């Protein structure tokens, strides 16, 4: 009788067969993600520790890695700030052509990266629409790290907006009203009530924008100029090594990018988990 009662209390699974579904998930993840990454690491390991270290510490490699990760971090930070502002405007205000603006946010998702790179280069080149106004001021965008930063901001913005927007839509407005009733100013309500609830979503959008920016290639190579030690990104250096049939060197640079990216994402997720626990306890 107890066995029948236990079976009756057991919740049915949405997808029947946990073992089969779990095995399929692991197989798919292994074939698409783990095995290719593992093969890259194994290929890089064929160089030996000394050979791997010599390649990743080469001045040209260090300059490319620094440029890729520094610009990606800055671009993700910019997107984290302005992505929240855009999400706030789309959720909290009503204005003409709101749906059109909302659709434009997703444009970098649909636009081929090469097209985005060509468009940004045409606009910010010294003879472009915007570049021609900036050139007399001594500001050069195209073929500089600044151009790379603009391209990374362009492709990463939708990640923050689309991550924060649904959280903001579900935020209970009565909490803001209660804070105002207790005498909180508008800025206090935003920074002490609304913003803490958005921090996990902002960190998630930041991590997604950072991950996309680090590996971005198509929208960057046109506007970067690809000058070694100046505007050469790490993905381009990998392609150059592959064209030179330096497969082990290319995988070594890729492995270095993988390790750095993994470390940054783990750090972001640890901060996010800590913030969620703290906010939940509050």
């Amino acid at each position: 009788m107890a066995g029948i009662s236990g079976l009756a209390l057991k919740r049915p699974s949405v997808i029947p067969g946990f073992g089969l579904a779990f095995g399929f998930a692991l197989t798919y993840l292994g074939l698409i993600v783990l095995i290719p990454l593992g093969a890259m690491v194994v290929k890089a390991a064929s160089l030996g520790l000394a050979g791997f270290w010599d390649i990743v510490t080469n001045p040209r490699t260090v300059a490319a890695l620094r440029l890729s990760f520094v610009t990606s971090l800055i671009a993700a930070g910019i997107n984290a700030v302005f992505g929240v502002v855009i999400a706030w405007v789309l959720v909290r205000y009503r204005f003409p052509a709101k749906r059109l603006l909302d659709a434009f946010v997703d444009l970098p998702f649909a636009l081929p990266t090469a097209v985005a790179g060509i468009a940004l280069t045409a606009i910010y080149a010294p003879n472009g629409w915007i570049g021609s106004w900036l050139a007399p001021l001594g500001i050069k965008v195209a073929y500089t790290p600044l151009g790379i930063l603009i391209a990374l901001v362009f492709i990463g913005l939708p990640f923050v907006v689309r991550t924060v927007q649904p959280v903001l839509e579900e935020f209970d407005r009565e909490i803001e009203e209660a804070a105002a009733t207790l005498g909180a100013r508008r800025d206090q309500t935003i920074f002490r009530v609304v913003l803490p609830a958005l921090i996990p979503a902002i960190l998630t959008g930041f991590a997604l924008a950072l991950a996309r920016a680090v590996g971005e290639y198509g929208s960057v190579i046109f506007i970067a100029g690809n000058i070694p030690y100046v505007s050469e990104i790490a993905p381009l250096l990998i392609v150059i090594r592959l064209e030179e049939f330096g497969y082990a060197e290319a995988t070594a640079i890729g492995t270095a990018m993988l390790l750095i990216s993994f470390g940054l994402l783990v750090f972001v997720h640890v901060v996010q988990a800590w913030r969620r626990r703290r906010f939940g306890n509050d």
Side-chain angles (χ1 to χ4, degrees), residues 109-120:
F109 284 149
L111 194 66
T113 55
V115 176
I118 294 173
L120 291 173

Side-chain angles (χ1 to χ4, degrees), residues 133-210:
W133 289 91
L134 297 177
L137 301 176
I139 302 175
K140 186 178 181 181
V141 177
Y143 319 125
T144 66
L146 181 58
I148 298 175
L149 179 63
I150 291 176
L152 297 182
V153 169
F154 174 80
I155 57 97
L157 181 63
F159 290 96
V160 180
V161 176
R162 293 310 184 208
T163 304
V164 175
Q165 187 175 358
V167 178
L168 193 57
E169 288 175 346
E170 297 177 0
F171 187 82
D172 191 355
R173 298 290 294 271
E174 294 182 356
I175 299 178
E176 297 180 55
E177 296 173 358
T181 302
L182 294 173
R185 299 190 307 271
R186 186 58 179 166
D187 60 330
Q188 291 177 325
T189 302
I190 292 175
F191 288 103
R192 295 187 181 183
V193 178
V194 179
L195 193 59
L198 298 179
I199 290 297
I202 295 174
L203 288 176
T204 300
F206 174 86
L208 292 174
L210 174 63

Side-chain angles (χ1 to χ4, degrees), residues 209-229:
L210 174 63
R212 171 68 188 274
V214 167
E216 182 60 22
Y217 179 78
S219 63
V220 174
I221 56 171
F222 294 100
I223 198 172
N226 310 321
I227 304 172
Y229 303 100

Side-chain angles (χ1 to χ4, degrees), residues 25-250:
L26 288 181
T27 302
Y28 185 83
L29 181 64
L31 292 175
I32 300 300
V33 180
L34 299 180
I35 292 179
L37 293 180
M40 181 183 68
V41 174
V42 170
K43 184 65 175 180
S46 64
L47 293 168
L49 184 59
F52 175 82
W53 184 254
D54 288 340
I55 292 174
V56 298
T57 57
N58 181 275
R60 185 175 178 181
T61 304
V62 172
L65 290 172
R66 183 190 302 115
L67 178 65
S68 291
F69 283 96
V70 170
T71 53
S72 297
L73 283 168
I74 296 174
I78 293 173
N79 284 328
V81 174
F82 290 96
V84 173
V85 175
I86 294 174
W88 182 276
V89 171
L90 293 175
V91 173
R92 293 299 181 91
Y93 297 102
R94 294 181 180 179
F95 51 90
K98 176 181 176 179
R99 292 187 178 180
L100 184 62
L101 179 61
D102 194 11
F104 280 154
V105 171
D106 294 327
L107 190 59
F109 284 149
L111 194 66
T113 55
V115 176
I118 294 173
L120 291 173
T121 305
I123 293 174
Y124 288 101
N127 58 347
W129 294 348
I130 300 178
S132 59
W133 289 91
L134 297 177
L137 301 176
I139 302 175
K140 186 178 181 181
V141 177
Y143 319 125
T144 66
L146 181 58
I148 298 175
L149 179 63
I150 291 176
L152 297 182
V153 169
F154 174 80
I155 57 97
L157 181 63
F159 290 96
V160 180
V161 176
R162 293 310 184 208
T163 304
V164 175
Q165 187 175 358
V167 178
L168 193 57
E169 288 175 346
E170 297 177 0
F171 187 82
D172 191 355
R173 298 290 294 271
E174 294 182 356
I175 299 178
E176 297 180 55
E177 296 173 358
T181 302
L182 294 173
R185 299 190 307 271
R186 186 58 179 166
D187 60 330
Q188 291 177 325
T189 302
I190 292 175
F191 288 103
R192 295 187 181 183
V193 178
V194 179
L195 193 59
L198 298 179
I199 290 297
I202 295 174
L203 288 176
T204 300
F206 174 86
L208 292 174
L210 174 63
R212 171 68 188 274
V214 167
E216 182 60 22
Y217 179 78
S219 63
V220 174
I221 56 171
F222 294 100
I223 198 172
N226 310 321
I227 304 172
Y229 303 100
V230 177
S231 59
E232 183 180 58
I233 59 174
L236 175 62
L237 185 57
I238 293 175
V239 173
I240 292 175
R241 293 292 179 254
L242 291 174
E243 291 176 346
E244 297 172 349
F245 302 100
Y247 302 118
E249 292 83 353

